[in-house]
Amino acid sequence: MVKVRFAPSPTGYLHVGNMRTALVNYLFARKEKGAFVLRVEDTDIERSDPAFERALLDDLAWLGLTWDEGPYTQSERTEIYRAHAAVLLKMGLAYKCFCSKERLDRMREEALHRGSPPKYDGTCRDLPAEDAARREREGMPYVVRFRAPARAIRVKDLIHGEIFFPADHVDDFILLKQGLTPAYNFAVTVDDMLMGITHVMRGADHVSNTPKQIMLFQAFGQEPPLYGHHSLLTGADQKPLSKRHGATHIREFREMGILPEALVNYVAVIGRSVKKEIMDEKELIETFSPRSLSPSDSLFDMEKLRWFNREHIRRSSTEKLLEKMGLPDSCREKVALVQENAGTLAEIRDYLDIFEGSTITDESMAYLGGVPSSGMIIASLEEAMKNGVPSFDDALKMVESGTGLKKRDLFMCLRISLTGRKHGPPLTDIFSHISREAVTERISRIKERLALS
Ligand code: GLU
């Protein structure tokens, strides 16, 4: 049975790049009728925060990415990692290293200075057993290192195809840090092994960890899982997606009024060529395969996400939108009128102001200020409203004949006077739903502001 996992570190809010990892694993598990495990990797004690862990579970629940096993928490499994390190020590496949931090830091800096990757020089690799025992008795701090075999590794990556790592790629990396807490690669491998993970799918930033993890599996005499590294998301400048590019955290999209199904849909099709773009969860599962993911970096495009969101809002039932937005049933008709035109839930909320509110955007005021005859149009509209004009078309006709102006300017001035905005749903649809008080209020505010400027 296929068993996959999502293994986030609770060191920040869930980022859309990590969400992509979660989604890839979730879709694969559902497609293969396998299991999806959630594992919280909080071995970095300083950077991990339980508040981020709670936020993470909350974001996953909002996205609808349900897991079948877990959440396991690595900080609760320290004894398991220690026991596994003890097994490797006993087999001579790991050793205790007493090198001082100062010396290691110096070595690291020198290597970086030379432009070569920092590597442990093996000082403690063949320390006689009595020496090591004596140092330990004397209370010298130590770490446990893996005795890495000098062996080249070939991996058949599920997304990238074959990746080759030369024999000198892996040094004697740390399994247990000082204080005998697990290092990242060790905790991941022990867990993947014990949890029976069959496929490890994660971001391309983890490619260089893969040979280490494979070597550890082999040291325990176990068959490693299959690995697949999906590409990373970039902004339009092809740099890794970050805050500089705008919203990147799931909660930011949520606050913006992006629907979870739209975000899931968009992120699921990024970097894939799909026959149709708008899909529900069932279709996303049916069409998913790791091989369909492009190995090259993929653009995360906020405008595209808004387009997906717009499409999902259009397709959504009005009841569902009311529920998501916490609006009463009395808003049903109005939400139904604006949902065709809204890109986000926030826009729906904003459009609802058209009917009862008195907002006038600055952009609209600037437009009115630039149309010499706007005062005339507004006066004429006011007159038409007083006479109880029944539809927008009638209002348009009346104002048109009263002012003799071009349709385009006229139309925009009327839109602004009636709704306070330059954009929105078709006026013919919404006209009769806008309260007369709202229009009167808007017109008097516009007149005031025009007179001031
Ligand atoms: N905890 C790692 C991270 O958040 C993921 C480890 C893995 O998937 O192997 O980047």
Side-chain angles (χ1 to χ4, degrees), residues 5-9 18 21 39 41 74 184 188 192 200-203 205-206 213:
R5 66 351 179 242
F6 175 50
S9 301
N18 268 340
T21 308
R39 187 167 79 216
E41 303 206 317
Q74 286 190 329
Y184 159 73
V188 166
D192 285 345
V200 168
M201 284 185 288
R202 55 189 174 191
D205 47 339
H206 285 291
Q213 297 176 10

Side-chain angles (χ1 to χ4, degrees), residues 233-274:
L233 297 180
T234 70
D237 55 2
Q238 297 187 339
K239 302 235 167 72
L241 189 67
S242 74
K243 273 206 248 6
R244 284 183 304 117
H245 297 104
T248 52
H249 292 132
I250 302 313
R251 26 202 64 208
E252 292 175 279
F253 298 119
R254 185 174 170 175
E255 275 157 26
M256 230 177 245
I258 299 287
L259 296 179
E261 54 268 40
L263 187 57
V264 162
N265 186 171
Y266 174 49
V267 173
V269 302
I270 290 180
R272 290 172 59 203
S273 52
V274 282

Side-chain angles (χ1 to χ4, degrees), residues 4-137:
V4 292
R5 66 351 179 242
F6 175 50
S9 301
T11 54
Y13 289 117
L14 183 61
H15 183 277
V16 63
N18 268 340
M19 172 212 157
R20 188 161 176 234
T21 308
L23 186 56
V24 161
N25 282 287
Y26 172 83
L27 294 176
F28 188 54
R30 295 291 169 261
K31 166 97 186 267
E32 301 296 327
K33 311 236 175 314
F36 179 47
V37 176
L38 178 62
R39 187 167 79 216
V40 178
E41 303 206 317
D42 57 351
T43 51
D44 186 340
I45 302 155
E46 265 148 47
R47 291 176 56 224
S48 298
D49 185 334
F52 287 136
E53 186 178 331
R54 282 193 297 276
L56 191 89
L57 302 188
D58 186 47
D59 286 345
L60 289 175
W62 178 73
L63 289 163
L65 303 182
T66 47
W67 54 92
D68 310 303
E69 223 183 279
Y72 295 105
T73 307
Q74 286 190 329
S75 60
E76 291 166 8
R77 297 168 58 81
T78 311
E79 287 313 320
I80 298 175
Y81 310 125
R82 286 183 184 160
H84 280 77
V87 169
L88 293 182
L89 280 166
K90 202 154 178 206
M91 291 196 291
L93 297 176
Y95 60 90
K96 293 176 181 168
C97 165
F98 298 87
C99 289
S100 73
K101 187 172 174 312
E102 291 68 35
R103 195 178 80 80
L104 295 174
D105 284 350
R106 209 168 43 244
M107 236 164 55
R108 190 185 156 77
E109 244 153 60
E110 280 164 14
L112 290 175
H113 198 72
R114 281 197 310 274
S116 39
K119 278 195 180 126
Y120 179 58
D121 64 355
T123 301
C124 295
R125 194 172 226 253
D126 297 309
L127 202 65
E130 317 78 73
D131 264 13
R134 179 183 48 77
R135 291 185 195 198
E136 206 179 330
R137 267 199 314 277

